[in-house]
Amino acid sequence: MKAHSAAKNVIRHLIVAAAAATLLSPLSPVTAVASATPTIGISAVVLSKQTVNGKDYIVSDITIAPGGSTGWHTHQGVVFGIVKEGTLTRNIGDCSIEGVSNPGDPITDPTGADHVHIGRNLGTTPVVLEVTYVDPAGAPTADSAPNPGCDFN
């Protein structure tokens, strides 16, 4: 039961931490305000979690529904993975497209609070990612961030 509880906690951090306590309504106008942006259409399944030498190693399958997004966020640790299905569009804090990834493409996210970014599914089919997080033990897999002033969430 402890492993089940830990898995629920990791999923909660992946989804809820990316949204944070304050959510913007997806129907409200987007402005650069000091509050977190919500995840939209995200589900996650933790496949594995181990803590070794002060680091959490978490492997998750993440699904982003058509029109969905991760919300703006940063990472305290290293993130890498692969696109299994769909097309993932990644934007960075200046609103530009950092990359568009298709099935089989590797993905990475930079570490640190100065690397705010968002992953979006602009397509008509779900995006499925298999992602590995290497975080400081106990850290969330993502820290939500305010929209940096882009006209999308």
Side-chain angles (χ1 to χ4, degrees):
M1 192 56 80
K2 185 176 179 182
H4 180 67
S5 177
K8 278 185 169 182
N9 190 35
V10 171
I11 291 170
R12 181 178 60 78
H13 279 294
L14 178 64
I15 295 170
V16 177
T22 29
L23 299 176
L24 297 173
S25 166
L27 301 176
S28 67
V30 176
T31 57
V33 295
S35 79
T37 55
T39 61
I40 301 168
I42 299 284
S43 63
V45 176
V46 175
L47 304 175
S48 173
K49 179 181 179 186
Q50 294 187 7
T51 302
V52 178
N53 295 328
K55 293 190 182 285
D56 287 340
Y57 296 84
I58 303 166
V59 179
S60 296
D61 274 352
I62 300 169
T63 301
I64 307 172
S69 78
T70 62
W72 290 95
H73 65 279
T74 61
H75 300 282
Q76 295 179 35
V78 177
V79 180
F80 54 94
I82 189 166
V83 177
K84 293 170 67 174
E85 298 175 29
T87 301
L88 176 69
T89 301
R90 296 177 327 277
N91 296 86
I92 56 176
D94 67 2
C95 307
S96 66
I97 293 177
E98 177 184 47
V100 176
S101 302
N102 295 298
D105 289 346
I107 56 171
T108 61
D109 282 336
T111 299
D114 56 338
H115 295 290
V116 65
H117 57 280
I118 188 171
R120 302 188 298 151
N121 181 353
L122 303 178
T124 58
T125 60
V127 168
V128 179
L129 311 171
E130 185 167 297
V131 179
T132 300
Y133 301 90
V134 182
D135 290 320
T141 56
D143 293 305
S144 52
N147 184 318
C150 305
D151 63 358
F152 53 85
N153 270 336

